[in-house]
Amino acid sequence: MRAIDATAGRITIAYDAIEPLNWPAGTMAFAVGKSALLNSATVGDKVRFRLESQQITELTRF
């Protein structure tokens, strides 16, 4: 995880290629579906996340 913006409810994640979405590896800011997800997030953590409707709905340390 590269950055957390609690005010905007967004997390910036550097991710590997996501073949099912045809996305190359990159870095992107994603909105979180629930602000509580930000409570367990720490910059520098490696995480797995679920993306639904362009929002992170699940976030766990990898």
Side-chain angles (χ1 to χ4, degrees):
M1 198 167 346
R2 299 288 177 146
I4 299 169
D5 184 344
T7 303
R10 300 176 71 78
I11 296 175
T12 302
I13 296 176
Y15 55 86
D16 293 332
I18 305 172
E19 292 180 23
L21 297 177
N22 225 10
W23 286 3
T27 301
M28 185 175 195
F30 295 96
V32 294
K34 297 178 184 177
S35 61
L37 292 172
L38 300 173
N39 295 336
S40 62
T42 303
V43 172
D45 284 350
K46 290 186 179 188
V47 296
R48 288 187 177 179
F49 61 99
R50 178 180 299 270
L51 193 62
E52 294 179 19
S53 300
Q54 301 297 320
Q55 291 187 338
I56 293 178
T57 58
E58 292 179 32
L59 184 68
T60 56
R61 287 188 179 151
F62 182 59

PDB file of all heavy atoms in Angstrom, residues 28-57:
ATOM      1  N   MET A  28      -2.572   2.777  -8.346  1.00  0.00           N
ATOM      2  CA  MET A  28      -3.830   3.496  -8.518  1.00  0.00           C
ATOM      3  C   MET A  28      -4.486   3.749  -7.170  1.00  0.00           C
ATOM      4  O   MET A  28      -4.358   2.949  -6.249  1.00  0.00           O
ATOM      5  CB  MET A  28      -4.765   2.656  -9.387  1.00  0.00           C
ATOM      6  CG  MET A  28      -6.045   3.288  -9.770  1.00  0.00           C
ATOM      7  SD  MET A  28      -6.892   2.157 -10.900  1.00  0.00           S
ATOM      8  CE  MET A  28      -8.094   3.250 -11.565  1.00  0.00           C
ATOM      9  N   ALA A  29      -5.198   4.865  -7.058  1.00  0.00           N
ATOM     10  CA  ALA A  29      -5.987   5.160  -5.866  1.00  0.00           C
ATOM     11  C   ALA A  29      -7.377   4.570  -6.052  1.00  0.00           C
ATOM     12  O   ALA A  29      -7.995   4.730  -7.105  1.00  0.00           O
ATOM     13  CB  ALA A  29      -6.079   6.666  -5.653  1.00  0.00           C
ATOM     14  N   PHE A  30      -7.842   3.849  -5.027  1.00  0.00           N
ATOM     15  CA  PHE A  30      -9.156   3.230  -5.061  1.00  0.00           C
ATOM     16  C   PHE A  30      -9.981   3.759  -3.893  1.00  0.00           C
ATOM     17  O   PHE A  30      -9.469   3.924  -2.784  1.00  0.00           O
ATOM     18  CB  PHE A  30      -9.053   1.710  -4.900  1.00  0.00           C
ATOM     19  CG  PHE A  30      -8.348   1.014  -6.018  1.00  0.00           C
ATOM     20  CD1 PHE A  30      -6.997   0.711  -5.905  1.00  0.00           C
ATOM     21  CD2 PHE A  30      -9.020   0.644  -7.165  1.00  0.00           C
ATOM     22  CE1 PHE A  30      -6.336   0.044  -6.930  1.00  0.00           C
ATOM     23  CE2 PHE A  30      -8.368  -0.021  -8.182  1.00  0.00           C
ATOM     24  CZ  PHE A  30      -7.023  -0.317  -8.074  1.00  0.00           C
ATOM     25  N   ALA A  31     -11.267   3.986  -4.121  1.00  0.00           N
ATOM     26  CA  ALA A  31     -12.182   4.343  -3.038  1.00  0.00           C
ATOM     27  C   ALA A  31     -12.463   3.090  -2.221  1.00  0.00           C
ATOM     28  O   ALA A  31     -12.433   1.979  -2.748  1.00  0.00           O
ATOM     29  CB  ALA A  31     -13.483   4.891  -3.619  1.00  0.00           C
ATOM     30  N   VAL A  32     -12.720   3.271  -0.930  1.00  0.00           N
ATOM     31  CA  VAL A  32     -13.102   2.147  -0.087  1.00  0.00           C
ATOM     32  C   VAL A  32     -14.609   2.202   0.136  1.00  0.00           C
ATOM     33  O   VAL A  32     -15.190   3.284   0.278  1.00  0.00           O
ATOM     34  CB  VAL A  32     -12.357   2.131   1.267  1.00  0.00           C
ATOM     35  CG1 VAL A  32     -10.878   1.884   1.059  1.00  0.00           C
ATOM     36  CG2 VAL A  32     -12.571   3.398   2.045  1.00  0.00           C
ATOM     37  N   GLY A  33     -15.243   1.028   0.157  1.00  0.00           N
ATOM     38  CA  GLY A  33     -16.687   0.954   0.349  1.00  0.00           C
ATOM     39  C   GLY A  33     -17.108   1.309   1.766  1.00  0.00           C
ATOM     40  O   GLY A  33     -18.173   1.872   1.981  1.00  0.00           O
ATOM     41  N   LYS A  34     -16.252   0.991   2.740  1.00  0.00           N
ATOM     42  CA  LYS A  34     -16.533   1.278   4.149  1.00  0.00           C
ATOM     43  C   LYS A  34     -15.306   1.939   4.769  1.00  0.00           C
ATOM     44  O   LYS A  34     -14.199   1.426   4.648  1.00  0.00           O
ATOM     45  CB  LYS A  34     -16.841  -0.010   4.903  1.00  0.00           C
ATOM     46  CG  LYS A  34     -18.075  -0.710   4.418  1.00  0.00           C
ATOM     47  CD  LYS A  34     -18.287  -2.001   5.174  1.00  0.00           C
ATOM     48  CE  LYS A  34     -19.464  -2.752   4.612  1.00  0.00           C
ATOM     49  NZ  LYS A  34     -19.659  -4.042   5.257  1.00  0.00           N
ATOM     50  N   SER A  35     -15.513   3.048   5.441  1.00  0.00           N
ATOM     51  CA  SER A  35     -14.373   3.755   6.034  1.00  0.00           C
ATOM     52  C   SER A  35     -13.661   2.913   7.092  1.00  0.00           C
ATOM     53  O   SER A  35     -12.484   3.134   7.357  1.00  0.00           O
ATOM     54  CB  SER A  35     -14.820   5.092   6.624  1.00  0.00           C
ATOM     55  OG  SER A  35     -15.784   4.882   7.639  1.00  0.00           O
ATOM     56  N   ALA A  36     -14.329   1.926   7.668  1.00  0.00           N
ATOM     57  CA  ALA A  36     -13.703   1.053   8.669  1.00  0.00           C
ATOM     58  C   ALA A  36     -12.517   0.299   8.085  1.00  0.00           C
ATOM     59  O   ALA A  36     -11.601  -0.088   8.817  1.00  0.00           O
ATOM     60  CB  ALA A  36     -14.725   0.075   9.229  1.00  0.00           C
ATOM     61  N   LEU A  37     -12.496   0.089   6.777  1.00  0.00           N
ATOM     62  CA  LEU A  37     -11.365  -0.592   6.136  1.00  0.00           C
ATOM     63  C   LEU A  37     -10.071   0.199   6.318  1.00  0.00           C
ATOM     64  O   LEU A  37      -8.988  -0.377   6.323  1.00  0.00           O
ATOM     65  CB  LEU A  37     -11.630  -0.812   4.644  1.00  0.00           C
ATOM     66  CG  LEU A  37     -12.732  -1.802   4.294  1.00  0.00           C
ATOM     67  CD1 LEU A  37     -13.022  -1.763   2.796  1.00  0.00           C
ATOM     68  CD2 LEU A  37     -12.339  -3.201   4.719  1.00  0.00           C
ATOM     69  N   LEU A  38     -10.173   1.497   6.474  1.00  0.00           N
ATOM     70  CA  LEU A  38      -8.989   2.338   6.637  1.00  0.00           C
ATOM     71  C   LEU A  38      -8.338   2.156   8.006  1.00  0.00           C
ATOM     72  O   LEU A  38      -7.156   2.413   8.168  1.00  0.00           O
ATOM     73  CB  LEU A  38      -9.352   3.814   6.434  1.00  0.00           C
ATOM     74  CG  LEU A  38      -9.925   4.186   5.068  1.00  0.00           C
ATOM     75  CD1 LEU A  38     -10.385   5.631   5.083  1.00  0.00           C
ATOM     76  CD2 LEU A  38      -8.903   3.949   3.974  1.00  0.00           C
ATOM     77  N   ASN A  39      -9.106   1.695   8.993  1.00  0.00           N
ATOM     78  CA  ASN A  39      -8.596   1.558  10.357  1.00  0.00           C
ATOM     79  C   ASN A  39      -7.493   0.517  10.469  1.00  0.00           C
ATOM     80  O   ASN A  39      -6.603   0.650  11.301  1.00  0.00           O
ATOM     81  CB  ASN A  39      -9.729   1.214  11.323  1.00  0.00           C
ATOM     82  CG  ASN A  39     -10.738   2.325  11.424  1.00  0.00           C
ATOM     83  OD1 ASN A  39     -10.451   3.475  11.161  1.00  0.00           O
ATOM     84  ND2 ASN A  39     -11.955   1.969  11.790  1.00  0.00           N
ATOM     85  N   SER A  40      -7.567  -0.524   9.650  1.00  0.00           N
ATOM     86  CA  SER A  40      -6.567  -1.592   9.740  1.00  0.00           C
ATOM     87  C   SER A  40      -5.458  -1.436   8.693  1.00  0.00           C
ATOM     88  O   SER A  40      -4.572  -2.269   8.610  1.00  0.00           O
ATOM     89  CB  SER A  40      -7.243  -2.953   9.579  1.00  0.00           C
ATOM     90  OG  SER A  40      -7.847  -3.040   8.305  1.00  0.00           O
ATOM     91  N   ALA A  41      -5.529  -0.382   7.919  1.00  0.00           N
ATOM     92  CA  ALA A  41      -4.565  -0.181   6.833  1.00  0.00           C
ATOM     93  C   ALA A  41      -3.354   0.607   7.311  1.00  0.00           C
ATOM     94  O   ALA A  41      -3.483   1.561   8.088  1.00  0.00           O
ATOM     95  CB  ALA A  41      -5.233   0.557   5.684  1.00  0.00           C
ATOM     96  N   THR A  42      -2.180   0.192   6.839  1.00  0.00           N
ATOM     97  CA  THR A  42      -0.937   0.888   7.154  1.00  0.00           C
ATOM     98  C   THR A  42      -0.110   1.008   5.880  1.00  0.00           C
ATOM     99  O   THR A  42       0.044   0.024   5.150  1.00  0.00           O
ATOM    100  CB  THR A  42      -0.121   0.098   8.205  1.00  0.00           C
ATOM    101  OG1 THR A  42      -0.931  -0.088   9.364  1.00  0.00           O
ATOM    102  CG2 THR A  42       1.138   0.833   8.591  1.00  0.00           C
ATOM    103  N   VAL A  43       0.388   2.195   5.605  1.00  0.00           N
ATOM    104  CA  VAL A  43       1.236   2.399   4.430  1.00  0.00           C
ATOM    105  C   VAL A  43       2.422   1.439   4.519  1.00  0.00           C
ATOM    106  O   VAL A  43       3.025   1.280   5.573  1.00  0.00           O
ATOM    107  CB  VAL A  43       1.714   3.861   4.341  1.00  0.00           C
ATOM    108  CG1 VAL A  43       2.744   4.035   3.244  1.00  0.00           C
ATOM    109  CG2 VAL A  43       0.534   4.788   4.107  1.00  0.00           C
ATOM    110  N   GLY A  44       2.721   0.775   3.421  1.00  0.00           N
ATOM    111  CA  GLY A  44       3.820  -0.184   3.370  1.00  0.00           C
ATOM    112  C   GLY A  44       3.353  -1.629   3.463  1.00  0.00           C
ATOM    113  O   GLY A  44       4.099  -2.535   3.102  1.00  0.00           O
ATOM    114  N   ASP A  45       2.131  -1.850   3.954  1.00  0.00           N
ATOM    115  CA  ASP A  45       1.595  -3.211   4.021  1.00  0.00           C
ATOM    116  C   ASP A  45       1.396  -3.789   2.629  1.00  0.00           C
ATOM    117  O   ASP A  45       1.022  -3.074   1.703  1.00  0.00           O
ATOM    118  CB  ASP A  45       0.221  -3.238   4.711  1.00  0.00           C
ATOM    119  CG  ASP A  45       0.280  -3.097   6.209  1.00  0.00           C
ATOM    120  OD1 ASP A  45       1.397  -3.165   6.768  1.00  0.00           O
ATOM    121  OD2 ASP A  45      -0.784  -2.917   6.820  1.00  0.00           O
ATOM    122  N   LYS A  46       1.635  -5.089   2.507  1.00  0.00           N
ATOM    123  CA  LYS A  46       1.236  -5.821   1.308  1.00  0.00           C
ATOM    124  C   LYS A  46      -0.154  -6.350   1.602  1.00  0.00           C
ATOM    125  O   LYS A  46      -0.391  -6.943   2.662  1.00  0.00           O
ATOM    126  CB  LYS A  46       2.198  -6.961   1.013  1.00  0.00           C
ATOM    127  CG  LYS A  46       3.546  -6.476   0.552  1.00  0.00           C
ATOM    128  CD  LYS A  46       4.422  -7.621   0.137  1.00  0.00           C
ATOM    129  CE  LYS A  46       5.760  -7.067  -0.345  1.00  0.00           C
ATOM    130  NZ  LYS A  46       6.589  -8.109  -0.929  1.00  0.00           N
ATOM    131  N   VAL A  47      -1.085  -6.112   0.689  1.00  0.00           N
ATOM    132  CA  VAL A  47      -2.477  -6.465   0.945  1.00  0.00           C
ATOM    133  C   VAL A  47      -3.098  -7.207  -0.237  1.00  0.00           C
ATOM    134  O   VAL A  47      -2.614  -7.128  -1.365  1.00  0.00           O
ATOM    135  CB  VAL A  47      -3.328  -5.206   1.236  1.00  0.00           C
ATOM    136  CG1 VAL A  47      -2.877  -4.518   2.507  1.00  0.00           C
ATOM    137  CG2 VAL A  47      -3.306  -4.229   0.075  1.00  0.00           C
ATOM    138  N   ARG A  48      -4.160  -7.911   0.084  1.00  0.00           N
ATOM    139  CA  ARG A  48      -5.067  -8.454  -0.932  1.00  0.00           C
ATOM    140  C   ARG A  48      -6.342  -7.652  -0.799  1.00  0.00           C
ATOM    141  O   ARG A  48      -6.736  -7.264   0.299  1.00  0.00           O
ATOM    142  CB  ARG A  48      -5.360  -9.926  -0.662  1.00  0.00           C
ATOM    143  CG  ARG A  48      -4.193 -10.802  -0.965  1.00  0.00           C
ATOM    144  CD  ARG A  48      -4.575 -12.233  -0.854  1.00  0.00           C
ATOM    145  NE  ARG A  48      -3.403 -13.020  -1.227  1.00  0.00           N
ATOM    146  CZ  ARG A  48      -3.372 -14.318  -1.234  1.00  0.00           C
ATOM    147  NH1 ARG A  48      -4.428 -15.008  -0.877  1.00  0.00           N
ATOM    148  NH2 ARG A  48      -2.283 -14.952  -1.598  1.00  0.00           N
ATOM    149  N   PHE A  49      -6.997  -7.411  -1.933  1.00  0.00           N
ATOM    150  CA  PHE A  49      -8.216  -6.622  -1.860  1.00  0.00           C
ATOM    151  C   PHE A  49      -9.235  -7.128  -2.871  1.00  0.00           C
ATOM    152  O   PHE A  49      -8.897  -7.744  -3.864  1.00  0.00           O
ATOM    153  CB  PHE A  49      -7.923  -5.131  -2.087  1.00  0.00           C
ATOM    154  CG  PHE A  49      -7.328  -4.792  -3.426  1.00  0.00           C
ATOM    155  CD1 PHE A  49      -8.129  -4.318  -4.453  1.00  0.00           C
ATOM    156  CD2 PHE A  49      -5.970  -4.920  -3.656  1.00  0.00           C
ATOM    157  CE1 PHE A  49      -7.579  -3.981  -5.691  1.00  0.00           C
ATOM    158  CE2 PHE A  49      -5.411  -4.589  -4.884  1.00  0.00           C
ATOM    159  CZ  PHE A  49      -6.226  -4.116  -5.904  1.00  0.00           C
ATOM    160  N   ARG A  50     -10.503  -6.888  -2.550  1.00  0.00           N
ATOM    161  CA  ARG A  50     -11.602  -7.220  -3.452  1.00  0.00           C
ATOM    162  C   ARG A  50     -12.173  -5.900  -3.947  1.00  0.00           C
ATOM    163  O   ARG A  50     -12.465  -4.998  -3.158  1.00  0.00           O
ATOM    164  CB  ARG A  50     -12.681  -8.021  -2.741  1.00  0.00           C
ATOM    165  CG  ARG A  50     -13.886  -8.337  -3.651  1.00  0.00           C
ATOM    166  CD  ARG A  50     -14.939  -9.123  -2.920  1.00  0.00           C
ATOM    167  NE  ARG A  50     -14.406 -10.397  -2.469  1.00  0.00           N
ATOM    168  CZ  ARG A  50     -14.437 -11.526  -3.181  1.00  0.00           C
ATOM    169  NH1 ARG A  50     -14.951 -11.523  -4.389  1.00  0.00           N
ATOM    170  NH2 ARG A  50     -13.943 -12.639  -2.688  1.00  0.00           N
ATOM    171  N   LEU A  51     -12.342  -5.827  -5.237  1.00  0.00           N
ATOM    172  CA  LEU A  51     -12.838  -4.617  -5.876  1.00  0.00           C
ATOM    173  C   LEU A  51     -14.216  -4.907  -6.452  1.00  0.00           C
ATOM    174  O   LEU A  51     -14.382  -5.837  -7.244  1.00  0.00           O
ATOM    175  CB  LEU A  51     -11.863  -4.200  -6.979  1.00  0.00           C
ATOM    176  CG  LEU A  51     -11.994  -2.829  -7.595  1.00  0.00           C
ATOM    177  CD1 LEU A  51     -11.783  -1.753  -6.551  1.00  0.00           C
ATOM    178  CD2 LEU A  51     -10.991  -2.664  -8.720  1.00  0.00           C
ATOM    179  N   GLU A  52     -15.204  -4.138  -6.032  1.00  0.00           N
ATOM    180  CA  GLU A  52     -16.570  -4.266  -6.552  1.00  0.00           C
ATOM    181  C   GLU A  52     -17.082  -2.878  -6.895  1.00  0.00           C
ATOM    182  O   GLU A  52     -17.028  -1.979  -6.052  1.00  0.00           O
ATOM    183  CB  GLU A  52     -17.485  -4.918  -5.517  1.00  0.00           C
ATOM    184  CG  GLU A  52     -17.119  -6.359  -5.208  1.00  0.00           C
ATOM    185  CD  GLU A  52     -18.023  -6.986  -4.164  1.00  0.00           C
ATOM    186  OE1 GLU A  52     -19.134  -6.466  -3.937  1.00  0.00           O
ATOM    187  OE2 GLU A  52     -17.608  -7.993  -3.575  1.00  0.00           O
ATOM    188  N   SER A  53     -17.566  -2.719  -8.100  1.00  0.00           N
ATOM    189  CA  SER A  53     -18.094  -1.424  -8.552  1.00  0.00           C
ATOM    190  C   SER A  53     -17.100  -0.295  -8.309  1.00  0.00           C
ATOM    191  O   SER A  53     -17.451   0.773  -7.817  1.00  0.00           O
ATOM    192  CB  SER A  53     -19.430  -1.113  -7.872  1.00  0.00           C
ATOM    193  OG  SER A  53     -20.374  -2.096  -8.176  1.00  0.00           O
ATOM    194  N   GLN A  54     -15.826  -0.557  -8.618  1.00  0.00           N
ATOM    195  CA  GLN A  54     -14.746   0.421  -8.509  1.00  0.00           C
ATOM    196  C   GLN A  54     -14.439   0.847  -7.072  1.00  0.00           C
ATOM    197  O   GLN A  54     -13.834   1.895  -6.854  1.00  0.00           O
ATOM    198  CB  GLN A  54     -15.034   1.655  -9.368  1.00  0.00           C
ATOM    199  CG  GLN A  54     -15.211   1.348 -10.842  1.00  0.00           C
ATOM    200  CD  GLN A  54     -13.945   0.780 -11.460  1.00  0.00           C
ATOM    201  OE1 GLN A  54     -12.850   1.229 -11.165  1.00  0.00           O
ATOM    202  NE2 GLN A  54     -14.093  -0.197 -12.331  1.00  0.00           N
ATOM    203  N   GLN A  55     -14.875   0.049  -6.070  1.00  0.00           N
ATOM    204  CA  GLN A  55     -14.563   0.336  -4.672  1.00  0.00           C
ATOM    205  C   GLN A  55     -13.974  -0.907  -4.023  1.00  0.00           C
ATOM    206  O   GLN A  55     -14.380  -2.029  -4.331  1.00  0.00           O
ATOM    207  CB  GLN A  55     -15.811   0.722  -3.891  1.00  0.00           C
ATOM    208  CG  GLN A  55     -16.384   2.055  -4.268  1.00  0.00           C
ATOM    209  CD  GLN A  55     -17.511   2.447  -3.332  1.00  0.00           C
ATOM    210  OE1 GLN A  55     -18.131   1.621  -2.688  1.00  0.00           O
ATOM    211  NE2 GLN A  55     -17.778   3.743  -3.256  1.00  0.00           N
ATOM    212  N   ILE A  56     -13.050  -0.690  -3.090  1.00  0.00           N
ATOM    213  CA  ILE A  56     -12.504  -1.796  -2.318  1.00  0.00           C
ATOM    214  C   ILE A  56     -13.529  -2.168  -1.252  1.00  0.00           C
ATOM    215  O   ILE A  56     -13.952  -1.328  -0.470  1.00  0.00           O
ATOM    216  CB  ILE A  56     -11.168  -1.415  -1.667  1.00  0.00           C
ATOM    217  CG1 ILE A  56     -10.112  -1.215  -2.757  1.00  0.00           C
ATOM    218  CG2 ILE A  56     -10.723  -2.476  -0.666  1.00  0.00           C
ATOM    219  CD1 ILE A  56      -8.764  -0.785  -2.251  1.00  0.00           C
ATOM    220  N   THR A  57     -13.939  -3.457  -1.267  1.00  0.00           N
ATOM    221  CA  THR A  57     -14.924  -3.931  -0.306  1.00  0.00           C
ATOM    222  C   THR A  57     -14.306  -4.851   0.744  1.00  0.00           C
ATOM    223  O   THR A  57     -14.912  -5.086   1.784  1.00  0.00           O
ATOM    224  CB  THR A  57     -16.077  -4.665  -1.009  1.00  0.00           C
ATOM    225  OG1 THR A  57     -15.548  -5.757  -1.764  1.00  0.00           O
ATOM    226  CG2 THR A  57     -16.836  -3.718  -1.930  1.00  0.00           C
TER     227      THR A  57
END
